[in-house]
Amino acid sequence: MQPLELGVLASGSGSNLQAILDAIKKGKLNARVRLVLTNKSKAYAIERAKRVGVPAMVIRHNGYESREAFDQAMVEALREAGVEWVVLAGFMRLLTPTFLNAFPMRVLNIHPALLPAFPGVDAQQQALDYGVRATGCTVHFVDAGTDTGPIIAQSVVEIRDDDTRDSLAARVIAREHVLFPTVLQWIAEGRVHVVPPQTPEGRTRVRVEGVSACLGVKAR
Ligand code: GRF
């Protein structure tokens, strides 16, 4: 089986990038990170890439006159690097069709909540403020909306009565570090199938073959 040729887009600390790099190193994920791209010159993700000899590139969004021009520059860099699958790991910019059409159903995101609940920023605080008893994280294909694309897998995290935003966020991100490499390995194994809408109003869905796409809940 061919390794997944990954491009990772990150704007911040890049701990999910680290989890992916670690899983590759341990032989748990059959993939190669061809390029790490960031729009922030101070993103710690750059250091993480450099440490293991992965090329890292900064493309600053404010250097471009439009979102489309910025996206086109990223597409060119990713293609040049031989990237076939794009992973958003804390990338804080919305992607336009210019980007998404260049990698159709090949852009993945991780979100720190059980979508479709609590999309957008600070999902952990949103979950606490609402008073839900469980939250978690979601890996999904990216579409033009904010955290609206077809869901591949979710991992459930219990909310405790004494949780603060930080205590909850720490447990959610620990789960992200397991879920993202796991889903990427399923893709490498050919287990993830896109199911087109069955009715005119229907949604594109995802079928995952041979494994449970819901982690963190005990099987009955
Ligand atoms: C994670 O919480 C992820 O769910 C969200 O952005 C954060 C990125 O964290 N999309 P890191 O940069 O991977 O540490």
Side-chain angles (χ1 to χ4, degrees), residues 26 185 216:
K26 285 184 193 150
Q185 178 59 20

Side-chain angles (χ1 to χ4, degrees), residues 116-139:
F118 316 128
V121 294
D122 212 351
Q124 301 91 337
Q125 188 64 51
Q126 290 186 56
L128 281 178
D129 290 346
Y130 196 95
V132 290
R133 295 299 184 179
T135 186
C137 49
T138 303
V139 173

Side-chain angles (χ1 to χ4, degrees), residues 15-16 19 137 155 157 168-179:
S15 69
N16 278 287
C137 49
S155 187
V157 173
L168 177 59
R171 294 207 306 290
V172 171
I173 200 140
R175 209 58 84 70
E176 292 182 36
H177 297 161
V178 176
L179 187 66

Side-chain angles (χ1 to χ4, degrees), residues 85 108 141 151-152 182-194 206-209 211:
W85 289 84
L108 304 156
F141 286 110
I151 290 171
I152 304 171
T182 299
V183 169
L184 290 167
Q185 178 59 20
W186 292 344
I187 291 174
E189 291 169 1
R191 293 180 185 275
V192 175
H193 305 282
V194 174
V206 175
R207 185 169 62 80
V208 180
E209 204 181 309
V211 284

Side-chain angles (χ1 to χ4, degrees), residues 15-26:
S15 69
N16 278 287
L17 164 67
Q18 190 65 56
I20 290 166
L21 292 168
D22 292 347
I24 293 171
K25 194 171 171 202
K26 285 184 193 150

Side-chain angles (χ1 to χ4, degrees), residues 24-153:
I24 293 171
K25 194 171 171 202
K26 285 184 193 150
K28 289 184 173 175
L29 170 56
N30 184 21
R32 284 189 290 221
V33 179
R34 292 285 197 152
L35 181 64
V36 170
L37 258 187
T38 177
N39 59 326
K40 301 267 185 199
S41 51
K42 291 191 177 141
Y44 188 60
I46 300 172
E47 303 309 315
R48 297 184 193 270
K50 281 187 183 159
R51 239 189 259 155
V52 289
V54 166
M57 188 185 269
V58 182
I59 301 187
R60 287 157 54 88
H61 59 269
N62 39 21
Y64 293 85
E65 62 190 10
S66 65
R67 281 182 182 274
E68 287 74 15
F70 170 62
D71 281 5
Q72 188 56 39
M74 289 197 295
V75 167
E76 281 163 21
L78 292 163
R79 284 209 170 124
E80 189 129 315
V83 167
E84 291 175 4
W85 289 84
V86 178
V87 172
L88 306 187
F91 186 67
M92 302 307 281
R93 306 283 303 172
L94 278 183
L95 297 171
T96 66
T98 300
F99 191 100
L100 296 174
N101 294 339
F103 295 97
M105 294 306 270
R106 285 192 165 213
V107 184
L108 304 156
N109 182 44
I110 190 155
H111 181 74
L114 296 176
L115 292 171
F118 316 128
V121 294
D122 212 351
Q124 301 91 337
Q125 188 64 51
Q126 290 186 56
L128 281 178
D129 290 346
Y130 196 95
V132 290
R133 295 299 184 179
T135 186
C137 49
T138 303
V139 173
H140 63 95
F141 286 110
V142 176
D143 66 11
T146 302
D147 305 320
T148 50
I151 290 171
I152 304 171

